[in-house]
Structure formats: structure tokens, C-alpha cells
Amino acid sequence: MTALCIVALCAGPVAVGAPASVQPALDIHVGQADAFSRIEFHWAGAARMDVKRAGQLLTLSFSRDAKPDIATLKSVPMKWVKSVDVRHEHGRIVFAITLTDDADAATGNADGADFVNVFAKAAPPPAPPSPQTPPPTRPDPVPQGGVVQMKVTQDGGQLKLDFPWRNPLGAAVFRRGDAIWIVFDAAAKIDLTQAPKNVTQFSSMQALSGPGYSAIRIATRSPVPFEVANLGSDWTVILEPTAQVPFVPVKLTRDDSAGPAALTAALSGATGVYWVDDPVVGDKVAVVTAQAPAKGIPIPHDFVQFTVLQSAQGMAVSSNADDLAVTFSGDIVTISRPKGLALSPTTNPQDMASSVNAPKPAAMPGLIGDDWSATGGAGYLARYDALVMPVADEEEKGAEGPTEGHMALARYLIGQGLAFEAIGVLNDAFRTHPTLGGEAEFRALRGMARAMAGRYKEAETDLAAPVLDDNPAANLWRGYVLAKTSQWADAKTAFSAGRPALTAFPAYWKQRFGRAAALTGLALNDVPGARSWIDFALGNPIGPDEDAQNQLVDAEVDQAEGDSGNALRKYQQLAGLPQDQVAGPAELRATQMQLASNAITPSQAIDIYDGLRYRWRGDAFELDTVRALGQLYLSQGRYREALEAFRSAGKDLPDLPETAQLQADLTNAFKTLFLEGQADGLQPIQALALFYDFKELTPVGADGDAMVRRLTRRLVDVDLLPQAEELLKYQVDNRLEGVPKAQVATDLAVIDLMDRKPEDALDAINGSRTTVLPQPLNLQRRIVAARALTGLSQYDTALEMLGSDTSADATDARAEIVWDQKAWPQAGAIFEKQLGDRYKDPRPLTEIQEGQLLRAAVAYSLAGDDASLTRLRQRFTPFIDGARDPAALRVALAGLNGGDVAPSDFSRISADNQLFAGWVAQMKSRFDQAPLPAPRSPQVARQAAADAPGPGKG
């Protein structure tokens, strides 16, 4: 082998792990020959190699750690090797080598180096002359001396039992009761002397043998998990494994092709069948051994005449019949009896259905047959069990089997009113036979079952199938579903088309169809049509529950016909019934009529509505009650209760049109409060709290912008600046884009400046930048940004932001900048220029003008410009007595040379309170006078409300 490896290293691509001048702890050599690939591990010093194999994963673990050069190992492609991974674990180096599916491996030590040879698996042995004995030509697996020495390795709770054979052989490992069996297809003595004592995994271990096999029976203290691994000719059984070992499950299949019923299993590499004596039970177990990799039966399968036991390798069958046969041919294992196994019936489902008098198809898809609900003399369960038997056989045959058993069982379940069960049976048939979707009876049956179960959207899909077009019975079901989902116009069309089939239905469905059609007529204001349909339903009485529901609709028709007295009397009678689904709507209608006639007060009606909405949940009645309660709250000015009531229902019934109407009520109420000014009567803080609690209702666009602007004005008016900032910031961060975002962000920045938060103001401007803005808005944003920069003492940047803008607002901002810079000559000139010819008007100065005069005088004094100060004094002395702060003006106009004021005192005299307060007042005025965004037209607004998907989408 060493010589062959040297030839391989010279003949093929060779790489050495490290240059000769470097002596690493581990050197790796890789070589390739025609017949095998080789990896050698050369250690500088001793190192033990432990080998494990699980399927095609070969793991080499060395007793030392090292950092070898693995570039060659990773880069040189090796035949029969998929990949090599290197790990460092607990002071050891581990090589995980994944072999190709057709590869085998051998390990060893030669010339002081550990090696791995990877080569093609040996060809399978020729077919044995007898399927019950191992191939006679295989290499003898029994070691010399005829003894197999079991080796034991224990790692924590995991126990490994290794059986090293001379050559590969087949094995089976299975569980019977609390015992784990290991069977090899070769007769040898198995030495168990190394079996550990006093372990938790097992209590005893016994070696057995028989013709052609060797076995070990391990009696466990409890059913411990077990797995199997194989490496070449070594088999390893692992008790309580800590990691998953690759495992191929074996599937059992029924086989009727050769005559009597039998079971087959594809067990690749099967090598023999042995009837092994169980010394504890006293019977025999049929054991089928097989070669690696591991394959077995994950869970036991119990049959009448035998049990297929759980196995991790091979198969084992415990027999309850004397004539049970277990054979194999190639990879196919067969379990049989001369007269066949007792398995599921093989009767044709059509014949079986006939034998139990299965429900027959109705005269027309969509009708309910007279025999569908019949149970026969034996009762419901007996007929159900008989109908299930063909279904089980159809299940076993899958896509190649018929579906008549499924269809017959579905008819029976529909006849019994078991809609959900019928849906399950029909869906199961459709899973294996998708072509059923094009058959009229299948689509009708499933549509009927779904309609009965309240799955109206799914039912509508089935009943709209083209194969049911022009089908009167299907049209009645379609009308029923459309009425349940309040699609009234389409429902009326469907009921009209289905009227010819109405008399063919049982009385129960005659009532339901008639009642649904009457409600359709009421919804479409077709009162004569509603009267005709409800009279038909009343003419087919079947029981108190259905009759009461018909009487409720009858009262509604009376009310629509104008007979209010008779309608109210019927409502009040029905309100006392124990059926809540009737009594609740009746009380609602009676209360509405009494409230309209002032027979009860709104407070009394609110109490009734509030109780009714918890009396019956989950359909249109709940939504009608909530709508009535919300509208009544609004009319009483109880806005919060109204919005909470509107929002409390409809989330679980998104498909009903009443839900859309309820959402429209909620949206309209919110708009009425905050867009049309109805909330103006609330205190600002109350209005703000109400808005925040329902802010998800704020519409996108002009209406929403106008709501926020209106509420912001109220908050700014009463100096609730932080609340106004929070409101606008939410809009900017979450709801707006483009120009609207920039406009609202500008308002936010102005309020931040009013609240003396220049940094927040600058963030609002910078966070809403966009490339295209109207010129007026762009100029306004530049002025606001300049004021914010001034507040942050960034004067040069602020002046650059203003540029050449000479507007009044820009001049005010520029004056603030030069004042803060203490550029007194420029500041005095700007403030005097802002006053202009105001001295010619004898009226008292405004707050802003008084502040400008004060600053101009102080600036000229500090600049030493006595001439300018004298000019101001001459022009504005007459205004001192009428000023808000005459003492400050008198000192400022006197100047430094005209009084006892030192320069340091001017900081107090020239405080900017007046000027800033005047600017805040000016900004409030602008907020009040700024036009709100134009709301959409009522038609557009109504359409948007109708299209709204639900709360929180605005």
C-alpha cells in the first residue's frame, strides 16, 4: 500500500502541507491514483487517530491539536470526496470528510503516518441462489478464531457498542418490548466481556446464535433511544445518542398485484431473513438484515396477524399467525400468507358504496337528495362507518383511485347538516384529484357545504364556477351567499334565476332561501318582492327557530309597507323570545321606532343599544346596533363615546358591507369634529386628547392637512406650543411627503422658534428638504432657517441663508443677526429703517415698533452715533408717555451721554422681550389668517370613505 501511494503521489496532482524548512506539528499530504484518493497525516511526535463513520460522513479525531497548512487539502480536488472540514475541539483537531454516495473508505497507519484511502464501493454481490440465505460468494466476515470482540465506549450518557467484523456484512437492529436486538447475518461467537456493569442504559446483555446468524439481546431498564452507524466492516450501536445519525425510513406498501393481499417494503441491500428465537417471549421473530447505510422502520406498525417492529437498521416482524411468510428478493421484502393478509377491504369503492346504499347524486347539482339524510335502521354511526370504508380504500390508492366514496360521504354529511366535515372530505378528494374542480357536482357540493358553514367568500368562488352557469339550484345557493354578504343587486338576480328549483328543496332550505330573498328585496326597496318571498317562507313552517326568524323579517316588511303599529307590535312580541338571534334585532328595531316617535328618551335608547351590542355578536346585527348607538352619541354631543362605539365593531367582519358603512360613519364623525369645526366647542386640551386617541383616522391629503392646521391654530392660540409641536411632528414623520411635508415642517419650525427651540426648528427644516418647492414657500423656509441659525449663534451662515432677500421678514431676521453680532451701526440703521415714517402717525406705537425704536436708540448710543440718536429723539419723544415701557424708552433715547446709565445697563434696557413677544403675536396672527388646504368635494370625499380599507389606513 505504501508503494502504491508513492506511485500515486508521483503520478497525479500532489501537494505538500509545508515546505521542508518548516517543521509544523502536523503535515498533510494529498495524493490521487486511478483506484483511490489518499490523505496522509504526518505528526511531529505521537498522536492517536480515532475514526467514526456515520453514513457517508467520515470523522477523524486526533488526540492533539495543531494548525497545519490545509490549503492543499481544500484546493486539490479528490475523487470520491465531496468536502473536507477542519474543526478544533477541546484541544483536538478533527477532520470531517464527506464521501460521495458511491464511495467507501479505509483508514490505517503506515511508515509512521495515519492515512485515509477513499475508493469506489465494491460492486453488490451476485443474487443469492436462495433468498433466505446470505450470498455464498461474499468474503468471510468472521474474524480469524471465529470471535467478534465487542468494544464499548461511554461518553456521558451515551454508550457505544462497536462490533468489528473482518469484512462487511448485513445487520438488523430493532426494539421488541424493552429489549434492543442486534442481529448479524453471519454465525460467530460474540464476546461481551467488555460490557460495562451498573450502567443506566441496560440491565443485562446476552449473546445468541442460530443457523447463519449471530445476535445480541440487550434488556434495557426503560425504552432508551438507539441508533446505528457503520464504518466499513464495523457496526456501531449507540444507546441514548447525543446527535442525530443519518437514517433512511423504510415505507410499507400494500401489494395486491400477485393475488392475495400482502405487504412489501423496499429495503436496499437486504441480505437475509432469519427466524430468531426470543428466549424471553418463547417465540420467533422474522429478522431481515441489510447492508449499510442505516435504514429502518421509525415507528412500529400493528396489524391483525403481525407487527412490524421499530428498527434503526433492517426489519423485524413479530408474527401472530403460524403461516406468516417473510421473504426477500433483491431489495424487496414481502410479508404474506397463503390466503392473504387481513388488511383494508379491497372492494371497489363504487361497489362498496352501493352495498351500503350510499346517497345518490341529486337530480341537479346544487339540490339536496331525499336520501342524503337517511340513516337506515342501524342509525347514524352505522351508516357513517359504512360510508367511510370506501373513502379509506380510495385514500390508499391515491391519485389512481376513484372518488365516488368521498362524494357519497360528502352527500351524507351535507344531508346531516355537518358542513365542516363535508368540506374536509371534499378537500381531501380534491387534493388527490384536482380535476374535480371542473365537475359540476363537486363544485356545487363544496359550495353548499361552505355556505352552510358560513364561509361565504369561499362558497361564492365555488358557486361561480362556469360549470354551474344556468343551474337554478346553484343560483339559489349563490343568491343566499350574496345576500349573506349584502351584495343585494347580484343576490336579487341570482334568486330570480333560481326560483324554478325552489320547490325541489327540503322545507328547511325553502325557508332560508325565501327569507334571504325577502331581505334582499327590503335592501333594494322592492317591498312587493320582499312580501312575496317572506309569505312563501312563512308557508313552509318547520320549527320554532326558523319560524321566529321568518316572523322577524315579516315585521320588517310590515314596517317597510308603512304599517308601523303592526310592525312595532310584532317586534315587541319577538323581543321576548329566548332566541337571541331574533330577540336582539327585534328589540333594536322596536327601540328605533320608539325613539323616532319620542316614546322614549335618547338616554333610554342609549342604555338599550349599549346592552344589545353585547347580546349577539358576529354578524350584521352587531354592526347595525353599533351604528345606531354611535349616531345617537353624536347627536348628544358625546363625541368620545361615539368614536369609541364606531371603532369597537367590524374588525372581525371585514367582508360585510355594513363594516364599510360603519367605517364610513367613523371617518365622517372624525371629519365633522376636526374638519368642520364641531370640536371647537371642546377645550383645546380635550380636543387634542380626542384627536390623539383617534389620529389613525386622519385622512391623507388636503382634508387631513386642514384638520391638523385647524387644531394647531387652537393650540398655538392658548400657548400650548409643545403639544402643537408634537402634533405637527407626527404628521411630518409619519404621514406626509413632498411639498405638503415641507409646508407643515415649516410651520413646525416656526412654532419651535416661538418655543425658543432653534435646534429643533433647524432639524424640522433640514429633515423636509425637497428639490421642487414653490418660490414663496422656499423663501419662507430660508428665513425660518436663518432665524434658527441666529438662535444657535451661527451668524455668518444665517446671513448667507438670507442672501439678497429684501422682504420685510428677511429684514427682521437680518436685524436680529446684526443685533446679536453687536454690529451697532448696522443694527441702528436697520431698526430705524424698519420704523420708516412711523413718527408722522400720532397713534401709539405697536409692541413690535416700540421694540424696534428701543433697539435703534441703544444701537446708536453704543455706536457713538449722537447725530442719529438725536434724530430719533426728536422724532419719537412724543411717543414715550403712551409707550408700554416709557422708562426704558426715555433712557434709551437719552443715550449714554444724556443720563446716568452705564453701557452695561443697556443689556437690561434692550431686552428683546417686547420684540420677541411682538413677533410671536405676529406669527399667531399669520396662523389664524393662513388659508386652510381646500377640502375635497363631498362626492370625492364620500367615494374615498367608501374605498377606505379600514381603520388606521389614512
Side-chain angles (χ1 to χ4, degrees):
M1 181 62 72
T2 302
L4 180 60
C5 183
I6 294 172
V7 172
L9 290 170
C10 296
V14 180
V16 179
S21 60
V22 180
Q23 296 297 326
L26 173 60
D27 215 7
I28 301 175
H29 295 206
V30 178
Q32 176 71 65
D34 292 338
F36 65 92
S37 299
R38 186 181 179 97
I39 305 174
E40 290 186 356
F41 303 91
H42 295 261
W43 285 90
R48 186 183 73 256
M49 179 175 72
D50 295 325
V51 181
K52 300 177 185 178
R53 181 168 178 181
Q56 295 304 97
L57 178 63
L58 180 65
T59 304
L60 310 179
S61 177
F62 291 92
S63 59
R64 295 170 53 192
D65 200 357
K67 294 184 179 180
D69 184 354
I70 61 173
T72 302
L73 188 64
K74 289 284 191 177
S75 61
V76 173
M78 288 179 284
K79 196 173 182 182
W80 297 293
V81 175
K82 284 185 177 179
S83 63
V84 180
D85 293 321
V86 183
R87 306 191 302 269
H88 301 271
E89 299 176 348
H90 310 295
R92 303 166 67 98
I93 186 169
V94 180
F95 296 85
I97 304 173
T98 304
L99 309 179
T100 59
D101 294 339
D102 60 342
D104 207 342
T107 61
N109 184 280
D111 299 331
D114 295 307
F115 67 84
V116 179
N117 286 342
V118 186
F119 46 87
K121 284 183 179 178
S130 170
Q132 269 62 53
T133 59
T137 58
R138 70 175 182 179
D140 187 6
V142 181
Q144 292 182 355
V147 178
V148 178
Q149 180 72 48
M150 181 185 75
K151 298 179 181 179
V152 179
T153 304
Q154 188 162 6
D155 183 8
Q158 177 175 276
L159 189 67
K160 290 186 178 180
L161 309 176
D162 295 320
F163 300 91
W165 292 83
R166 185 178 178 185
N167 287 300
L169 77 168
V173 182
F174 59 92
R175 186 201 304 277
R176 190 183 195 199
D178 287 340
I180 295 174
W181 285 76
I182 308 169
V183 179
F184 300 105
D185 64 359
K189 180 182 178 180
I190 300 180
D191 186 351
L192 304 179
T193 57
Q194 293 189 18
K197 308 296 183 183
N198 301 320
V199 293
T200 60
Q201 290 86 351
F202 67 90
S203 57
S204 64
M205 190 179 295
Q206 179 182 5
L208 306 167
S209 62
Y213 72 86
S214 306
I216 302 96
R217 182 183 184 276
I218 305 172
T220 60
R221 302 184 189 278
S222 60
V224 300
F226 64 101
E227 290 182 349
V228 176
N230 174 267
L231 181 60
S233 59
D234 292 358
W235 283 96
T236 302
V237 177
I238 308 168
L239 303 183
E240 295 188 349
T242 58
Q244 182 73 30
V245 178
F247 178 84
V248 178
V250 176
K251 182 180 179 182
L252 300 174
T253 305
R254 175 172 176 157
D255 183 13
D256 297 326
S257 60
L263 279 184
T264 62
L267 185 69
S268 62
T271 60
V273 177
Y274 304 93
W275 287 90
V276 177
D277 290 310
D278 188 331
V280 176
V281 180
D283 63 353
K284 292 180 179 289
V285 178
V287 180
V288 186
T289 56
Q291 295 176 338
K295 62 192 77 68
I297 306 293
I299 58 174
H301 295 265
D302 289 322
F303 296 88
V304 175
Q305 296 152 337
F306 62 95
T307 298
V308 180
L309 302 174
Q310 176 193 2
S311 63
Q313 166 66 13
M315 289 179 59
V317 181
S318 173
S319 174
N320 300 328
D322 294 336
D323 57 353
L324 188 75
V326 180
T327 61
F328 82 100
S329 178
D331 291 341
I332 303 301
V333 178
T334 302
I335 306 172
S336 62
R337 295 181 66 209
K339 294 184 179 181
L341 299 175
L343 302 174
S344 300
T346 57
T347 309
N348 182 280
Q350 179 70 48
D351 298 336
M352 177 65 74
S354 300
S355 67
V356 298
N357 192 25
K360 301 176 180 60
M364 176 190 303
L367 291 177
I368 297 176
D370 295 336
D371 62 336
W372 287 16
S373 60
T375 59
Y380 166 79
L381 283 178
R383 194 178 193 212
Y384 174 80
D385 290 340
L387 290 170
V388 166
M389 292 297 288
V391 173
D393 195 74
E394 291 176 358
E395 280 290 316
E396 190 171 328
K397 293 189 176 180
E400 298 180 358
T403 59
E404 180 53 38
H406 283 80
M407 299 292 280
L409 179 59
R411 296 183 199 112
Y412 179 61
L413 293 171
I414 290 175
Q416 292 291 331
L418 299 174
F420 290 99
E421 291 81 355
I423 293 171
V425 171
L426 292 167
N427 285 342
D428 188 58
F430 184 72
R431 176 178 56 82
T432 55
H433 295 75
T435 55
L436 285 173
E439 296 184 11
E441 189 192 12
F442 174 83
R443 297 304 289 266
L445 282 175
R446 195 167 67 172
M448 295 158 64
R450 285 172 165 175
M452 293 166 64
R455 296 182 175 180
Y456 299 124
K457 284 296 182 183
E458 296 175 6
E460 186 178 349
T461 301
D462 273 329
L463 296 169
V467 292
L468 295 178
D469 287 347
D470 302 323
N471 181 312
N475 272 313
L476 283 177
W477 286 104
R478 190 180 298 119
Y480 177 78
V481 168
L482 293 170
K484 286 294 183 181
T485 55
S486 303
Q487 301 178 66
W488 304 115
D490 293 336
K492 181 178 181 180
T493 301
F495 279 127
S496 298
R499 190 185 286 269
L502 187 61
T503 56
F505 278 90
Y508 178 85
W509 282 103
K510 288 179 183 177
Q511 276 206 12
R512 289 199 159 190
F513 290 147
R515 187 165 64 245
L519 289 172
T520 301
L522 288 175
L524 297 175
N525 202 29
D526 179 13
V527 180
R531 169 54 64 192
S532 174
W533 279 107
I534 196 59
D535 286 347
F536 173 82
L538 290 168
N540 290 274
I542 59 170
D545 288 344
E546 292 294 320
D547 292 345
Q549 293 188 55
N550 292 336
Q551 292 164 16
L552 175 63
V553 178
D554 179 47
E556 293 180 14
V557 174
D558 283 346
Q559 184 180 358
E561 290 174 333
D563 191 354
S564 299
N566 200 27
L568 181 59
R569 178 182 56 80
K570 291 181 179 180
Y571 284 143
Q572 290 173 332
Q573 289 176 348
L574 293 171
L577 293 178
Q579 296 99 324
D580 284 341
Q581 69 270 32
V582 174
E587 188 171 3
L588 173 65
R589 305 287 186 268
T591 303
Q592 289 173 322
M593 294 182 70
Q594 290 174 309
L595 181 63
S597 62
N598 296 320
I600 59 174
T601 65
S603 296
Q604 292 174 316
I606 285 175
D607 291 339
I608 296 173
Y609 292 157
D610 201 34
L612 282 176
R613 65 170 167 160
Y614 298 111
R615 184 172 179 178
W616 184 263
R617 308 294 297 271
D619 59 15
F621 164 58
E622 178 189 358
L623 304 183
D624 289 343
T625 303
V626 170
R627 287 193 72 198
L629 178 62
Q631 295 292 355
L632 194 51
Y633 274 140
L634 281 178
S635 69
Q636 299 298 301
R638 298 167 65 174
Y639 304 129
R640 177 173 293 278
E641 290 96 327
L643 294 177
E644 287 176 346
F646 285 140
R647 194 167 62 177
S648 68
K651 295 179 181 178
D652 298 329
L653 303 167
D655 295 331
L656 291 180
E658 286 85 355
T659 300
Q661 295 169 358
L662 192 66
Q663 175 61 30
D665 286 347
L666 178 59
T667 302
N668 290 334
F670 189 78
K671 290 174 65 176
T672 300
L673 288 169
F674 294 103
L675 187 61
E676 298 175 12
Q678 196 165 353
D680 291 348
L682 299 174
Q683 292 295 325
I685 198 66
Q686 291 178 324
L688 179 65
L690 189 62
F691 182 88
Y692 269 128
D693 287 345
F694 297 89
K695 63 185 176 183
E696 71 274 7
L697 300 174
T698 309
V700 171
D703 287 350
D705 197 7
M707 284 185 186
V708 174
R709 293 281 191 88
R710 180 183 290 274
L711 186 56
T712 302
R713 286 178 177 179
R714 296 198 63 199
L715 297 173
V716 171
D717 281 343
V718 294
D719 291 327
L720 292 174
L721 301 181
Q723 290 80 2
E725 292 161 11
E726 184 179 356
L727 182 63
L728 292 182
K729 186 168 177 32
Y730 178 84
Q731 300 296 110
V732 170
D733 292 344
N734 299 284
R735 295 175 49 83
L736 301 173
E737 295 293 338
V739 175
K741 178 177 180 177
Q743 179 63 68
V744 175
T746 305
D747 293 344
L748 172 60
V750 171
I751 297 175
D752 284 331
L753 291 175
M754 294 166 66
D755 202 17
R756 299 182 183 273
K757 297 177 180 178
E759 189 171 359
D760 290 348
L762 193 61
D763 288 342
I765 293 294
N766 291 336
S768 58
R769 294 186 184 278
T770 185
T771 55
V772 180
L773 287 176
Q775 184 64 16
L777 176 58
N778 197 34
L779 293 175
Q780 181 188 5
R781 287 167 58 85
R782 290 170 60 184
I783 293 169
V784 172
R787 281 188 172 274
L789 290 167
T790 302
L792 296 172
S793 301
Q794 299 181 29
Y795 306 121
D796 293 338
T797 307
L799 288 172
E800 291 174 358
M801 186 68 67
L802 293 174
S804 59
D805 189 353
T806 58
S807 63
D809 288 340
T811 301
D812 287 343
R814 194 175 286 109
E816 288 291 330
I817 295 171
V818 296
W819 176 265
D820 284 358
Q821 286 181 313
K822 295 182 174 52
W824 306 122
Q826 296 94 319
I830 292 176
F831 285 120
E832 184 179 8
K833 183 178 180 180
Q834 287 181 312
L835 290 169
D837 294 335
R838 180 63 180 82
Y839 64 90
K840 296 179 180 179
D841 186 347
R843 290 176 301 171
L845 298 175
T846 65
E847 191 171 16
I848 291 179
Q849 291 168 346
E850 191 172 320
Q852 290 169 344
L853 175 60
L854 184 66
R855 285 197 174 185
V858 170
Y860 283 142
S861 294
L862 292 174
D865 189 350
D866 293 335
S868 298
L869 182 60
T870 300
R871 182 174 62 253
L872 281 180
R873 188 165 49 245
Q874 291 173 349
R875 290 179 174 178
F876 289 97
T877 296
F879 294 91
I880 292 177
D881 293 336
R884 292 167 178 79
D885 191 354
L889 269 183
R890 187 173 289 109
V891 170
L893 289 173
L896 290 174
N897 298 324
D900 297 328
V901 182
S904 59
D905 294 328
F906 272 99
S907 61
R908 293 192 303 272
I909 296 174
S910 59
D912 62 348
N913 290 342
Q914 284 185 333
L915 201 59
F916 180 76
W919 178 79
V920 169
Q922 183 180 359
M923 292 301 102
K924 288 183 178 181
S925 176
R926 288 190 182 181
F927 272 119
D928 287 338
Q929 296 174 7
L932 294 174
R936 292 170 292 179
S937 66
Q939 180 179 359
V940 174
R942 283 194 298 271
Q943 183 62 42
D947 294 341
K953 301 299 183 183

